[in-house]
Amino acid sequence: MTKLVPETTGQEQQIRTACEAFWLTADHQLLTKEQTESAAHQILVELDLPASLLGWTMVVLFSESWRKPFAAVPFSKRMLLVPEISDDDTGLRELCQLATDLGYHVLAAKASSEVLARILSGQVEAILGIATLDVLEKAIDKIQMVELPCLAIPAERSDDGQLLFDTLWAKQWLNQAADGGHLHQASRYWQVMQAAASLFAPDQLETLVRPDRKWEISGQTVADVDQLLEKTAAVASTEALAFDFLAKGGKYSRPFITLAVYDALTHGSSASNGSLVVDLPDEVKRAAISIETFHKASLIHDDIEDDDQYRYGELTLHRRFGTPLAINVGDFMIGLGYRLVSRDAAALGTEVVAEILDILAEAHVRLSEGQGAELAWRESSGKRLTPADAIEIYALKTSPAFEAALLVGARLAGCIDGLRQPLRDFAKNLGIAFQILNDLKDWSEDTGNKLLQGGDITGGRPTVLWALALEGLPPADRRSLQELVGLEPPLDAEPPLDAELQIERVRRLYEKADVFEKSLELVRQHRHQAEQIAAAFPADSLRMLLQYLTDCVLERTELPPANVSSPLPVGTA
């Protein structure tokens, strides 16, 4: 899509006036990206303006659709989202100060996790964003599906890197009066996101899971067993640690999927009345919590098996309390997950409960098989691994969690005989693509979990990246790669490399084998398959949800950034 901006203020005003009129002359429903493109094209034809302005017109038309819902949100629940500010961006700095004075939340666009956290917590209900056209165009589909009121100001970068945008227009949007005159029929998606996150607040966990007991350490960081026993009785310590871990960190994407599928198959085709959380039965909420307990239990056990040091920016449980206690907390959470479902037999019906428990048990078995295959590979001497082997492990280890979340949500909503296999196929492709992206993320620093690049290599984990490298490198380079990770004895008696140089040499060999681009191509292939499966669902609400999940879960599609901090001698791999 073309990314040109109007050459004159006259052209800009013509387009803005026409886009405003489009929404004033009829009671339009929110448009899809394709419908927005068609309407923008028609506006340009009527104004006799070039088609090269299509992208800019789409963004303006999209923003106008949210003018009234945006105005209904008070300043204190709005966010100004801006790109990273350079020293020369005086106009952007002035706008940020104005927004702060009005009561807006102001964040840089890079802080996507913080944006999501504020939306899920209910702090933010509308966003004004300033970004370049390519960024805004990519966001239209996602925002339209979430239906969070958003206004966007198109910008462009000058040759010297300064962000150029219409500051007067931005100030007009920023000052949209919070009149509350247009009650927005709120999106189900971000309502469901908030509902999923709220389940893990301490008061909700107490009410839904264990109403007869509070756990004393919630929200605190307990460093060791002595501190733990100071704050809770020994017999309650396992439960306290489990509930505390449930309430910490993560996006709660799996319980969101369960709730969203349930909502899509029960309410999703109708307009929201703003009372979604009230509409969700407690037994549905508990089933969604159970999905997260299994996920969090697997994280505890994975951290032990990998001897990872950090989780959610804190020391892992086994590093704080020892491996035996951490294993026991993970086991407790597995039992808790099954109990959360089994105890609602009266409300759900024994047949529904039996089927949900079977879904969870099947996912648990397959996940353990996948993890077992990974551990067996790590303990083997040959370390033979093909890309197909790695993908099979991913299908077992990562996909079952998505599958269980989808199938449980569907079963809670009714019979799933016609949905079972398509949802499994969708989850398989989504999980494989997600895990490959996670492997690529390993080559970028993860400040949230305090990880450095190349953790999968130093931890000896089998990845599709490693398999592609072995497949794509000539014998001499393949041996060099295996020497670097200690799988082959070095031919030359060189002193051991420090970790940073070791990882950088592995990166160079990966780049030589074109591993990163090949991995992204695999992501594209599995994403395409997931999208095709989603498109075949007859129910509009479920089809749109699966398309949204694909877009959100598989958001990243760029190559890992090159690491130039450790330059290597010429001729070194």
Side-chain angles (χ1 to χ4, degrees), residues 6 8-24 43-44 47 49 56-65 67 152-154 165-173 176:
T8 66
T9 54
Q11 284 185 341
E12 176 184 312
Q13 193 57 52
Q14 275 185 290
I15 295 173
R16 288 177 55 193
T17 300
C19 290
E20 184 178 358
F22 177 87
W23 290 104
L24 289 175
I43 286 172
L44 291 175
L47 295 177
L49 291 174
W56 196 89
T57 307
M58 284 180 64
V59 170
V60 178
L61 188 64
F62 162 81
S63 294
E64 284 292 343
S65 70
R67 179 195 287 267
I153 302 293
F165 64 96
D166 189 328
T167 55
L168 180 59
W169 183 13
K171 289 177 181 178
Q172 290 173 346
W173 280 131
Q176 284 285 308

Side-chain angles (χ1 to χ4, degrees), residues 12 25 33 122 124 128 166 189 197 217 265 290 384 469 521:
E12 176 184 312
T25 54
K33 187 174 182 179
V124 170
L128 170 61
D166 189 328
Y189 287 173
I217 68 169
L265 294 175
S290 77
R384 292 181 296 274
E521 180 55 34

